[in-house]
């Protein structure tokens, strides 16, 4: 049924038509059902279900009745409680356009923003107040906000508000509201405490379940990429590069992770902003505004910071760190595929967390497609196809542009001109990354799939060591115990027993342009080589430090990708230069204490830990 058939209020109908919203979402249809009009409602609905418009529609009979618009504003007639500043402001914006033709005046009473303006607006009179519990209590207690005239109260994201510890504030606000008000409560989940509070705060409520919890979302395509944990950042880069989504949210679990990843993505040329608890309110507002007006395409965020945010056109969600539980997975994924649009949710899984991820998806009732991370070659091929398309398709050029083109063609050949245009376009694109460890991890996985593992110490039916998700509880899907500097790398030589010597002919030697006189020390050289060449320390064989240079050995297959990666300019330390050596150094006594036999290098006491 259409909004019209569901008899939405005519003034709101106009706004919906102008906005191009033709089809009500399930929660909107549900609240508009005649048996729900004028009743208290307890609604299970997630962000993205269209619940804000739903409660906007549901409030119209109470606030406007048969009238087309509001009378002059006085004391507020409706109050919406929201858990965060962003969500409150989002609700205000959404109800703002919905009630635009009804001449509604509203104010957002949220913390972290100027008190004076809020006081003035409240004093001048409003129809609607949207706010966060803390700031609303402030206003009530200083006598600036009276709820005497309140006819409708909406408690949005009730579960989230309780989780955030707002129970007392909610009680205080509700106690200040008239008892004969209409109350609508929205919650993504319905824990017993919410059900209990609903019985006290609502009068004879109707239950509406718009989206069955933990249901696979039809409009979201779920993808999983297994990666080597140390290439996580590169994997994020490639996932972003391979996507054509207009907007993307990348989730990290910690604030530090958000800051680091956002800085790295920006440095690579992605139009990227970050939000986490570390930012001040103006910084958060600026970041979100950049996303809304299209200046930024990628948002890096923690789960908490992104809660409830409605960002337009999020076509891709990347979970750079595993979520803590199936609910977090659903919340993150639910940022895309909203209001009938299609979206993709990508989960990056470090190789040794694969089982935990399988379990998580199983518990979340999600069927995902497992595939390789898009590699650099595939991304470049796609870039080329897109480039050809963008340079050749489209409307015929304007005469003015053609005239300029002719002038340019007097100086260069068409081929050169096209090549320059291609180069200019290419410059705009961040480089895709090679993922040698991820490829190696996939190969190792295939090789070791059926072989018994060294850490299977508890018999055939015992959990399989580090691949097993941890037990139930808050930490069920939490990171497996660390395995030293190489936490997420594929099973390495260190994990599989004593180090092996490099098989003859199965390694390559390289030279680094620093020696003893420049403080060459494997303590910093090893991490630097790993970073530069995308390897783990187990790929490094012997290291020989001499007066002015250091020779080192890269074992096995890693040598080739190491050589390619190490040639690339290094922003972090441009002075370090690595070159392939023609031959191995002559065997001899360890030089300066740092020379080591193959496989016996590394900072003392740190091997394999
Ligand atoms: P919400 O669940 O309130 O966060 O809404 C998610 C997004 O869906 C918002 O951008 C709404 O404007 C949009 N939306 C709500 N209802 C509809 C609808 N019937 N058709 C299309 N988009 C909608």
């Amino acid at each position: 049924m259409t909004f019209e058939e569901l008899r939405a209020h005519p003034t709101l109908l106009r706004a919906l038509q102008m906005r191009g919203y033709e089809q009500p979402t399930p929660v909107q249809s549900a609240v508009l059902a005649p048996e729900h009009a004028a009743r208290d409602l307890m609604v299970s609905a997630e962000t993205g279900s269209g619940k804000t418009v739903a409660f906007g529609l549901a409030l119209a009979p109470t606030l406007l009745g048969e009238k087309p618009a509001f009378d002059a504003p006085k004391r507020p007639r409706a109050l919406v409680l929201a858990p965060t500043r962003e969500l409150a402001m989002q609700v205000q914006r959404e109800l703002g356009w919905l009630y635009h033709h009804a001449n509604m005046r509203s104010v957002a009473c949220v913390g972290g923003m100027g008190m004076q303006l809020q006081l003035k607006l409240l004093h001048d009179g409003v129809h609607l107040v949207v706010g966060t519990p803390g700031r609303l209590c402030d206003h009530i207690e200083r006598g600036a906000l009276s709820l005497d005239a309140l006819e409708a109260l909406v408690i949005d994201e009730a579960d989230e508000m309780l989780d955030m510890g707002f129970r007392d504030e909610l009680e205080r606000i509700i106690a200040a509201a008239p008892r004969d008000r209409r109350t609508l409560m929205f919650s993504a989940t319905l824990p017993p405490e919410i059900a209990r509070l609903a019985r006290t705060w609502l009068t004879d409520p109707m239950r509406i379940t718009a989206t069955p919890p933990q249901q696979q979302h039809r409009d979201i395509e779920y993808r999983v990429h297994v990666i080597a944990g140390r290439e996580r950042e590169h994997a994020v880069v490639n996932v972003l590069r391979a996507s054509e989504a207009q907007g993307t949210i990348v989730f990290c679990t910690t604030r530090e992770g958000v800051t680091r990843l956002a800085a790295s993505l920006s440095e690579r040329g992605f139009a990227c902003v970050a939000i986490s608890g570390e930012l001040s309110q103006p910084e958060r507002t600026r970041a979100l505004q950049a996303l809304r007006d299209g200046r930024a395409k990628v948002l890096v965020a923690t789960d908490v910071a992104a809660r409830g945010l409605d960002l337009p056109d999020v076509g891709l969600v990347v979970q750079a760190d595993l979520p803590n539980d199936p609910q977090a997975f659903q919340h993150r994924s639910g940022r895309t595929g909203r209001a009938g649009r299609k979206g993709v949710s990508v989960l990056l899984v470090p190789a040794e967390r694969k089982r935990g991820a399988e379990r998580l998806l199983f518990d979340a009732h999600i069927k995902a497609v497992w595939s390789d991370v898009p590699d650099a070659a595939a991304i470049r091929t796609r870039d080329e196809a897109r480039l050809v398309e963008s340079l050749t398709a489209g409307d015929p050029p304007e005469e003015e542009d053609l005239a300029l083109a002719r002038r340019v063609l007097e100086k260069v050949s068409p081929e050169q001109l096209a090549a320059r245009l291609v180069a200019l376009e290419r410059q705009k694109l961040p480089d895709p990354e090679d993922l040698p460890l991820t490829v190696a991890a996939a190969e190792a996985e295939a090789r070791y799939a059926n072989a018994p593992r060294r850490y299977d110490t508890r018999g055939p039916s015992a959990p399989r060591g580090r691949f097993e998700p941890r037990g139930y509880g808050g930490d069920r899907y939490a990171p497996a115990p660390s395995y030293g500097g190489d936490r997420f790398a594929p099973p390495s030589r260190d994990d599989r027993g004593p180090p092996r010597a490099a098989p003859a002919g199965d390694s390559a030697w390289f030279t680094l342009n620093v020696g003893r006189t420049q403080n060459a020390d494997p303590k910093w050289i090893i991490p630097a080589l790993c970073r530069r060449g995308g390897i783990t320390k187990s790929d490094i064989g012997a290291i020989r430090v001499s007066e002015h240079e250091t020779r080192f050995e890269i074992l096995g297959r890693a040598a080739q990708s190491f050589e390619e990666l190490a040639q690339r300019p290094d922003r972090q330390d441009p002075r370090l230069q690595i070159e392939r050596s023609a031959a191995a150094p002559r065997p001899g006594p360890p030089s300066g204490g740092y020379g080591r036999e193959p496989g016996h290098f590394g900072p003392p006491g740190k091997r394999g830990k």
Side-chain angles (χ1 to χ4, degrees):
M1 281 170 96
T2 61
F3 286 113
E4 208 162 358
E5 287 163 342
L6 286 163
R7 307 183 71 80
H9 191 285
T11 308
L12 275 51
L13 208 50
R14 211 172 127 204
L16 288 164
Q17 278 159 358
M18 288 182 72
R19 187 94 175 176
Y21 291 2
E22 288 162 5
Q23 211 55 45
T25 65
V27 66
Q28 292 161 3
S29 301
V31 298
L32 285 172
E35 65 272 25
H36 295 150
R39 294 281 303 263
D40 278 8
L41 302 176
M42 173 65 239
V43 186
S44 313
E46 304 222 1
T47 317
S49 58
K51 68 185 167 68
T52 317
V53 168
F55 61 71
L57 289 165
L59 291 180
T62 311
L63 300 178
L64 294 173
E66 299 290 309
K67 290 186 183 171
F70 283 100
D71 295 330
K74 293 189 196 122
R75 281 170 300 156
R77 297 178 53 204
L79 171 66
V80 181
L81 300 170
T84 63
R85 294 173 274 211
E86 274 91 15
L87 191 61
M89 294 176 64
Q90 193 171 292
V91 167
Q92 189 196 23
R93 268 197 307 274
E94 193 88 339
L95 297 184
W97 66 256
L98 188 63
Y99 276 85
H100 176 70
H101 307 287
N103 301 330
M104 183 182 71
R105 190 182 288 181
S106 67
V107 57
C109 293
V110 295
M113 294 182 94
M115 196 78 174
Q116 289 314 316
L117 181 63
Q118 293 171 14
L119 290 172
K120 177 172 181 331
L121 290 168
L122 286 172
H123 178 263
D124 291 350
V126 290
H127 301 108
L128 167 80
V129 176
V130 185
T132 46
R135 180 56 66 96
L136 286 169
C137 280
D138 275 2
H139 282 304
I140 292 172
E141 275 146 29
R142 56 161 76 196
L145 171 63
S146 157
L147 300 184
D148 293 352
L150 208 68
E151 290 162 66
L153 171 70
V154 179
I155 307 169
D156 194 11
E157 306 234 345
D159 50 354
E160 185 64 12
M161 286 202 277
L162 291 188
D163 283 355
M164 291 169 77
F166 284 135
R167 168 87 191 254
D168 283 355
E169 285 85 348
L170 291 179
E171 299 273 12
R172 269 152 53 205
I173 294 165
I174 290 169
R179 290 191 73 86
D180 61 352
R181 62 175 193 265
R182 187 171 171 219
T183 308
L184 312 180
M185 186 150 145
F186 285 74
S187 192
T189 58
L190 258 196
E193 193 186 3
I194 296 276
R196 205 172 46 250
L197 289 173
R199 283 195 290 276
T200 30
W201 291 344
L202 281 71
T203 310
D204 189 20
M206 296 281 287
R207 269 284 282 123
I208 294 179
T209 306
T211 30
Q214 298 210 346
Q215 188 194 48
Q216 174 131 0
H217 199 309
R218 279 186 285 119
D219 294 324
I220 303 177
E221 186 189 327
Y222 298 89
R223 294 185 197 153
V224 182
H225 300 312
V226 177
I227 54 161
R230 291 186 42 194
E231 287 179 346
R232 167 182 161 281
E233 200 172 297
H234 287 186
V236 173
V237 167
N238 284 12
V239 170
L240 294 177
R241 283 288 275 100
S243 162
E244 291 184 24
Q246 279 308 301
T248 298
I249 304 186
V250 182
F251 282 99
C252 298
T253 25
T254 63
R255 293 169 175 194
E256 298 73 38
V258 165
T259 311
R260 228 182 5 251
L261 185 59
S264 166
L265 291 177
S266 298
E267 199 191 335
R268 287 162 197 274
F270 289 95
C272 166
V273 289
I275 53 167
S276 69
E278 270 171 4
L279 296 190
S280 67
Q281 186 55 32
E283 285 171 322
R284 287 161 76 99
T285 309
R286 261 202 305 281
L288 293 174
Q289 192 50 44
L291 283 167
R292 290 202 170 96
D293 60 28
R295 276 174 295 135
K297 303 268 186 240
V298 180
L299 167 68
V300 188
T302 53
D303 296 49
V304 173
R307 253 300 162 93
L309 284 185
D310 173 37
L311 296 169
D313 293 333
V314 175
L316 172 69
V317 164
V318 183
Q319 311 203 27
D321 294 324
L322 281 184
N324 284 334
D325 51 39
Q327 287 73 32
F329 176 85
Q330 296 275 17
H331 277 301
R332 290 169 164 196
S333 302
R335 305 297 90 208
T336 186
R338 302 174 84 169
R341 287 190 284 262
K342 301 279 174 209
V344 176
S345 169
V346 171
L347 181 66
L348 296 181
V349 180
E352 63 281 82
R353 307 278 312 279
K354 200 173 148 205
R355 291 204 177 183
E358 282 166 354
R359 185 78 174 266
L360 178 113
L361 293 170
F362 178 81
D363 289 352
H365 305 286
I366 294 297
K367 284 201 178 66
V369 176
W370 293 65
S371 60
D372 294 337
V373 197
D375 66 13
I379 292 169
R380 290 200 180 98
T381 308
R382 269 175 82 164
D383 284 350
E384 284 169 15
R386 279 183 212 162
L387 256 170
V388 171
E389 172 72 14
S390 72
L391 290 174
T392 54
D395 297 333
E398 301 282 328
E399 188 45 48
E400 194 186 347
D401 297 334
L402 280 170
L404 193 57
R406 278 184 219 108
R407 269 177 60 197
V408 179
L409 284 173
E410 284 166 17
K411 298 190 183 240
V412 293
S413 71
E415 193 181 57
Q416 276 178 333
L417 175 58
R420 283 195 187 153
L421 282 175
V422 166
L424 283 176
E425 287 300 310
R426 268 199 221 275
Q427 263 174 24
K428 296 181 194 159
L429 302 170
D431 279 338
E433 294 289 348
D434 292 315
L435 300 161
L437 295 178
T438 297
V439 173
E443 288 171 358
E445 158 119 335
R447 244 180 293 133
Y448 292 106
N450 298 316
R453 295 182 200 280
R454 188 170 79 82
Y455 30 80
D456 270 3
T457 52
R458 285 173 281 170
S461 61
R464 304 187 95 196
R466 59 196 276 199
F467 284 87
E468 183 64 14
R470 288 166 160 201
Y472 272 87
D475 231 11
R476 186 169 174 200
Y477 306 98
S482 165
Y483 282 77
D486 198 8
R487 184 165 164 185
F488 295 128
S492 68
R493 206 177 60 209
D494 292 352
D495 300 319
R496 295 199 300 269
R500 61 180 159 77
D506 196 14
S507 67
W509 282 87
F510 293 81
T511 309
L512 180 71
N513 63 333
V514 289
R516 247 191 316 280
T517 43
Q518 291 96 357
N519 280 335
D521 183 336
K523 276 204 200 89
W524 65 263
I525 288 180
I526 292 169
L529 296 182
C530 292
R531 184 177 58 75
R532 278 285 288 272
I535 53 169
T536 69
K537 66 180 195 277
S538 55
D539 294 316
I540 306 176
I543 298 183
R544 293 186 193 284
V545 181
S546 59
E547 201 63 16
H548 298 294
E549 64 177 28
T550 299
R551 316 269 310 259
F552 58 91
E553 186 187 24
I554 300 294
L555 303 175
R557 293 149 148 288
Q560 197 184 342
S561 63
F562 178 85
E563 187 176 1
E564 279 167 29
L565 294 176
Q567 297 310 310
R568 300 195 309 183
D570 182 31
R571 291 195 199 102
Q572 208 161 316
D573 200 339
R575 289 160 309 161
L576 280 192
Q577 282 172 14
I578 298 168
E579 277 171 14
R580 179 103 182 221
S581 314
R586 274 187 297 121
S591 45
Y594 293 131
R596 285 173 166 79
E597 289 314 305
H600 292 272
F601 64 88
K606 285 215 171 162
R607 281 198 103 271
K609 276 265 115 209

